[in-house]
C-alpha cells in the first residue's frame, strides 16, 4: 500500500505544475520551486520511483506515472478549488490563500470537492493562473515556458505563477499580475535578476532568478 505523506504530495504537485504530465522535469527545476537542495530532491525522487509514482531515468529527468498523476490531479483540484473560494467569496489576498488551502485540501472529500466546484460554477483556473482539473481528472493545456527561458527583446504574457507561498508574497511586492504583457529587457549574468517592462504602463521591474523560473508565460 502506498502511503503519500504531505512531503510526497508537495513533490507530486510541483512535478504536475512544472509539466511532468507531458514532458520531463529536471531535479533543478523541482529544487528551485520547492526551495530545497538538489540532493534532497534526488533522495525523494528515488522513493517516489520505488513507489511507482514517478518515472525517472538515471541522470535524466522526471515525469509522473499514471498512478502519480491520479494522486496529483486530485490534490491540485481540491487545493485550487479552495484557493478560488477563498479569493472569490471570502476576499482573501492572493499571497494568503496557499497555507489555508494546504490544510483544507486534506479534509475535503470527493463529494465536497464536487459541490464546491458546482458552487463556484466550474472554474478552469485558480487565482494565480494554475489549471483546475475536473472531477474526471481532465484539464486544459497550459504553458511550461518560464519567464527565465524567454530571450531578451521578446514580448510575452504572464500566464501563471507556481503555487508557492513565498513566491506569491514576493510577487505581491513587485506588482506583477496574471495577464500582464511584458517585454524581457535583459538577463543579468550569474543568476542575477531578469529585467522586464510591463507594456501597459511602461513599469520596469527586476524579477529574481528564482522567481523567474516559477513564472510561466505564453507568447
Amino acid at each position: 500500500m502506498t502511503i503519500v505523506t504531505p512531503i510526497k504530495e508537495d513533490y507530486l504537485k510541483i512535478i504536475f505544475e512544472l509539466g511532468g504530465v507531458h514532458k520531463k522535469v529536471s531535479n533543478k527545476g523541482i529544487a528551485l520551486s520547492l526551495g530545497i537542495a538538489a540532493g534532497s530532491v534526488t533522495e525523494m525522487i528515488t522513493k517516489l520511483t520505488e513507489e511507482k509514482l514517478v518515472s525517472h531515468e538515471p541522470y535524466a529527468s522526471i515525469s509522473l506515472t499514471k498512478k502519480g498523476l491520479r494522486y496529483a490531479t486530485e490534490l491540485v483540484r481540491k487545493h485550487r478549488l479552495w484557493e478560488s473560494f477563498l479569493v472569490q467569496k471570502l476576499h482573501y489576498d492572493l499571497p494568503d490563500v496557499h497555507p489555508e488551502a494546504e490544510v483544507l485540501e486534506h479534509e475535503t472529500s470527493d463529494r465536497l470537492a464536487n459541490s464546491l466546484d458546482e458552487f463556484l460554477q466550474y472554474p478552469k483556473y485558480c487565482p494565480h493562473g494554475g489549471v483546475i482539473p475536473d472531477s474526471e481528472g481532465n484539464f486544459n493545456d497550459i504553458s511550461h515556458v518560464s519567464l527565465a527561458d524567454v530571450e531578451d527583446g521578446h514580448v510575452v504574457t504572464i500566464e501563471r505563477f507556481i503555487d508557492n507561498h513565498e513566491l506569491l508574497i514576493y510577487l505581491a511586492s513587485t506588482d506583477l499580475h496574471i495577464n500582464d504583457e511584458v517585454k524581457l529587457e535583459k538577463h543579468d549574468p550569474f543568476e542575477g535578476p531578469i529585467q522586464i517592462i510591463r507594456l501597459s504602463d511602461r513599469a520596469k521591474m527586476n524579477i529574481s532568478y528564482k522567481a523567474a523560473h516559477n513564472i510561466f508565460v505564453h507568447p
Side-chain angles (χ1 to χ4, degrees), residues 27-38:
N27 273 38
K28 180 180 179 181
I30 295 171
L32 279 169
S33 295
L34 292 179
I36 57 178

Side-chain angles (χ1 to χ4, degrees), residues 18-43:
L18 294 174
V21 179
H22 302 298
K23 70 169 194 172
K24 297 288 187 178
V25 175
S26 69
N27 273 38
K28 180 180 179 181
I30 295 171
L32 279 169
S33 295
L34 292 179
I36 57 178
S40 298
V41 173
T42 301
E43 183 178 343

Side-chain angles (χ1 to χ4, degrees), residues 172-191:
S173 70
T174 68
D175 198 36
L176 185 66
H177 304 288
I178 302 296
N179 295 322
D180 279 352
E181 192 175 25
V182 302
K183 180 179 180 181
L184 201 143
E185 290 286 285
K186 181 184 177 184
H187 289 73
D188 277 357
F190 300 107
E191 299 187 357

Side-chain angles (χ1 to χ4, degrees), residues 2-215:
T2 300
I3 299 176
V4 182
T5 63
I7 294 176
K8 291 177 183 177
E9 289 176 351
D10 287 342
Y11 273 82
L12 294 176
K13 287 189 290 185
I14 209 65
I15 294 169
F16 178 92
E17 282 246 53
L18 294 174
V21 179
H22 302 298
K23 70 169 194 172
K24 297 288 187 178
V25 175
S26 69
N27 273 38
K28 180 180 179 181
I30 295 171
L32 279 169
S33 295
L34 292 179
I36 57 178
S40 298
V41 173
T42 301
E43 183 178 343
M44 180 55 73
I45 292 302
T46 299
K47 293 179 182 178
L48 295 175
T49 302
E50 291 171 352
E51 295 176 5
K52 303 187 184 308
L53 294 168
V54 304
S55 174
H56 179 221
E57 300 173 9
Y59 308 106
S61 299
I62 301 142
S63 60
L64 293 169
T65 62
K66 287 184 179 180
K67 180 181 177 182
L69 177 60
R70 187 171 67 250
Y71 276 106
T73 51
E74 181 178 344
L75 290 164
V76 167
R77 178 171 188 257
K78 291 175 180 178
H79 185 97
R80 292 178 176 170
L81 284 171
W82 281 117
E83 287 185 328
S84 299
F85 175 81
L86 291 169
V87 170
Q88 293 178 25
K89 304 302 180 182
L90 300 186
H91 311 296
Y92 270 57
D93 291 331
L94 187 56
D96 298 330
V97 298
H98 178 77
E100 302 280 14
E102 195 77 9
V103 174
L104 290 165
E105 72 182 55
H106 296 109
E107 304 300 327
T108 303
S109 66
D110 291 342
R111 179 182 178 183
L112 177 56
N114 291 338
S115 297
L116 187 60
D117 197 14
E118 181 180 6
F119 177 71
L120 294 170
Q121 299 184 326
Y122 306 102
K124 300 296 183 184
Y125 302 95
C126 74
H128 55 81
V131 69
I132 301 178
D134 66 16
S135 59
E136 302 299 320
N138 302 310
F139 52 90
N140 293 339
D141 285 337
I142 48 177
S143 169
H144 296 106
V145 177
S146 75
L147 183 63
D149 293 331
V150 178
E151 295 182 2
D152 292 354
H154 284 219
V155 173
V156 293
T157 301
I158 303 299
E159 182 182 78
R160 63 189 176 94
F161 306 137
I162 284 284
D163 197 358
N164 177 286
H165 181 52
E166 291 183 1
L167 175 69
L168 296 176
I169 291 173
Y170 167 79
L171 290 173
S173 70
T174 68
D175 198 36
L176 185 66
H177 304 288
I178 302 296
N179 295 322
D180 279 352
E181 192 175 25
V182 302
K183 180 179 180 181
L184 201 143
E185 290 286 285
K186 181 184 177 184
H187 289 73
D188 277 357
F190 300 107
E191 299 187 357
I194 312 296
Q195 301 176 26
I196 63 173
I197 295 178
R198 181 166 53 212
L199 299 188
S200 62
D201 59 0
R202 309 304 296 177
K204 296 184 178 181
M205 305 178 197
N206 289 328
I207 305 298
S208 76
Y209 174 85
K210 180 179 177 180
H213 280 85
N214 293 308
I215 298 170

